[in-house]
Amino acid sequence: MPRVLITGVTGQDGSYLAEMLIGKGYEVYGLIRRTSLVIDDRIRHLLDDVRLIDADLLDQLSLIKAVQTARPDEVYNLAAMSFVPTSFVQPVLTGEYTALGVAKMLEAVRLADWPIRFYQASSSEMFGKVHEIPQRETTPYHPRSPYGVAKVYGHWITVNYRESYKMYACCGILFNHESPRRGLEFVTRKISHAVARIKLGLQKELRLGNLDAKRDWGFAGDYVEAMWLMLQQAEPDDFVISTDETHSVGEFVRLAFECAGISNWQDYVRVDPNLLRPADVDILIGDSTKARTKLGWKPRVTFPELVEMMVKSDLDAEARGNTRAAIQATVR
Ligand code: NDP
Ligand code: GDR
């Protein structure tokens, strides 16, 4: 039975990845950090099958112990401070988690006396103020936030360990991917959640920032499959994972309201200047030809299907209760 260690197992991607790997017969270990409230909503349905290990990206020794306990064949390093606006408020902490946390995990893996394949969660945010359209593996990086800058470090330190120590280490440069399990602070889930509440008369308006920003949005469940495929190849490499389509935040809003049967969406949406970022990423659109050719990967869920899935899930859950229920509804 292959063994896997997932950092960030309590997050959106970690929950889908754990679910998929359990289905493939893996023995799954996941890192969890101590909090005063239990935050295992996304993996509660998996708790019989996931062994949780206490550790934190800030604590090198805890990461070494986690690797030694799990004795994994594969490590997926998904843990990070992943919310871009917070990275402007806490740039140093973001660097500790999202940049140096990667070096700490790589060191923990390097100390192991058995071979481990390593996946690093790189991001399309590294392209930032884009140098070409669409963005591919060779597009230069120009990050626009402390988060993006930290991800560039995480990316290059992973490449460096591959080249220096002959580690099987891959970076997945993933474009935005969403799901009913997305955190409520990210724009897609903020929209689907608000639309559901407006439809049910529980909320009056939806405040948003930049409606013109364009993103290449896919479904998280499809993207974790690409992560796994990267670690099953003969040689380690880096891959862009994207749908190769782009849509604006405004388009997402319109479609989400339409899914709930509301056509006059402008009556509910307010642009709030406080939600604009010091610097934003205007347009992201990937070119995933390399992944499609070499990994045989392609996304299954289309953009309209994704919006509908998220709105329906929030409508179901909000009709039954509250937000925690909303997250749990999606894992049943
Ligand atoms: P989430 O924000 O949903 O999950 C982040 C995970 O990291 C959570 O499990 C969180 O734990 C954990 N974490 C944060 N800080 C620490 C720490 N100090 N020690 C241990 N664990 C920590 O992110 P996603 O699932 O959406 O993304 C997964 C990864 O992929 C991230 O690295 C993200 O930056 C990257 N990425 C995501 C994309 C997307 O569109 N979703 C696109 C490209 C890259 P806790 O539950 O305790 O907070
Ligand atoms: P992003 O995702 O920054 O691309 O990072 P997010 O959903 O936060 O923003 C996308 C775009 O929407 C605009 N926007 C708003 N964003 C939020 N959060 N809230 C709002 O009210 C709002 N109004 C407009 C933003 O300005 C932005 O342009 C995500 C994260 O998952 C990262 O961890 C990951 O690396 C990248 O995707 C790829």
Side-chain angles (χ1 to χ4, degrees):
M1 201 186 221
R3 298 160 76 99
V4 62
L5 176 63
I6 303 172
T7 77
V9 75
T10 53
Q12 171 189 254
D13 291 7
S15 68
Y16 282 107
L17 181 67
E19 218 167 73
M20 186 188 77
L21 294 179
I22 290 165
K24 288 184 185 294
Y26 278 72
E27 191 168 316
V28 176
Y29 291 80
L31 292 197
I32 190 154
R33 52 181 175 160
R34 194 263 161 188
T35 46
S36 66
L37 282 173
V38 179
I39 45 162
D40 60 7
D41 301 49
R42 293 188 181 97
I43 54 165
R44 197 159 296 159
H45 62 304
L46 302 175
L47 287 180
D48 287 342
D49 297 308
V50 176
R51 293 158 208 235
L52 296 173
I53 302 176
D54 276 312
D56 194 294
L57 288 178
L58 295 184
D59 184 344
Q60 174 77 76
L61 191 55
S62 73
L63 301 176
I64 294 170
K65 283 187 194 159
V67 171
Q68 296 294 331
T69 303
R71 296 193 67 79
D73 302 294
E74 297 172 10
V75 168
Y76 294 83
N77 186 38
L78 308 184
M81 201 307 288
S82 72
F83 190 47
V84 171
T86 298
S87 78
F88 285 102
V89 183
Q90 299 179 331
V92 176
L93 191 66
T94 301
E96 296 281 358
Y97 285 180
T98 305
L100 290 179
V102 186
K104 293 196 179 95
M105 270 316 293
L106 283 163
E107 277 298 287
V109 166
R110 197 163 74 87
L111 281 175
D113 56 8
W114 66 94
I116 299 179
R117 293 187 168 204
F118 183 86
Y119 173 87
Q120 167 57 18
S122 289
S123 165
S124 53
E125 280 295 295
M126 301 190 306
F127 297 123
K129 195 171 165 60
V130 299
H131 287 215
E132 64 177 336
I133 293 177
Q135 297 86 50
R136 47 181 71 90
E137 290 79 4
T138 49
T139 303
Y141 303 134
H142 187 149
R144 294 274 280 172
S145 63
Y147 167 82
V149 174
K151 280 288 176 189
V152 172
Y153 174 91
H155 182 87
W156 282 118
I157 195 75
T158 303
V159 173
N160 179 259
Y161 271 53
R162 177 168 78 216
E163 293 174 353
S164 305
Y165 307 119
K166 310 289 172 245
M167 280 173 62
Y168 189 109
C170 301
C171 299
I173 307 169
L174 270 53
F175 282 61
N176 298 52
H177 45 280
E178 320 294 313
S179 73
R181 297 183 202 170
R182 188 58 141 150
L184 284 165
E185 67 275 40
F186 298 93
V187 77
T188 55
R189 183 76 198 289
K190 182 175 174 182
I191 296 166
S192 64
H193 184 240
V195 165
R197 290 177 61 81
I198 288 168
K199 175 76 179 172
L200 297 170
L202 300 168
Q203 187 172 324
K204 287 198 168 56
E205 64 175 24
L206 166 59
R207 285 182 175 268
L208 291 170
N210 182 2
L211 295 183
D212 298 324
K214 293 180 124 185
R215 290 290 184 278
D216 180 331
W217 277 299
F219 171 54
D222 289 344
Y223 284 38
V224 297
E225 201 187 328
M227 297 177 188
W228 177 76
L229 283 169
M230 279 180 223
L231 294 202
Q232 314 311 312
Q233 304 305 306
E235 298 295 331
D237 205 347
D238 308 321
F239 293 88
V240 158
I241 302 297
S242 56
T243 69
D244 305 359
E245 272 182 34
T246 194
H247 300 275
S248 69
V249 173
E251 261 178 280
F252 195 106
V253 172
R254 181 181 53 76
L255 213 55
F257 274 98
E258 275 174 22
C259 286
I262 302 172
S263 52
N264 56 332
W265 63 270
Q266 290 94 336
D267 294 348
Y268 298 100
V269 176
R270 304 274 170 275
V271 172
D272 182 345
N274 293 318
L275 293 169
L276 298 174
R277 299 175 182 183
D280 206 347
V281 173
D282 297 330
I283 177 164
L284 289 176
I285 175 166
D287 175 353
S288 58
T289 306
K290 183 175 167 185
R292 291 176 195 232
T293 312
K294 292 198 170 168
L295 302 178
W297 175 87
K298 65 170 192 287
R300 293 195 183 92
V301 176
T302 65
F303 178 69
E305 287 168 350
L306 176 66
V307 179
E308 192 183 359
M309 178 200 304
M310 293 178 71
V311 172
K312 269 193 171 164
S313 166
D314 276 322
L315 269 171
D316 285 354
E318 285 298 320
R320 261 183 280 131
N322 56 27
T323 296
R324 282 184 81 81
I327 293 175
Q328 285 161 24
T330 66
V331 298
R332 276 198 277 273

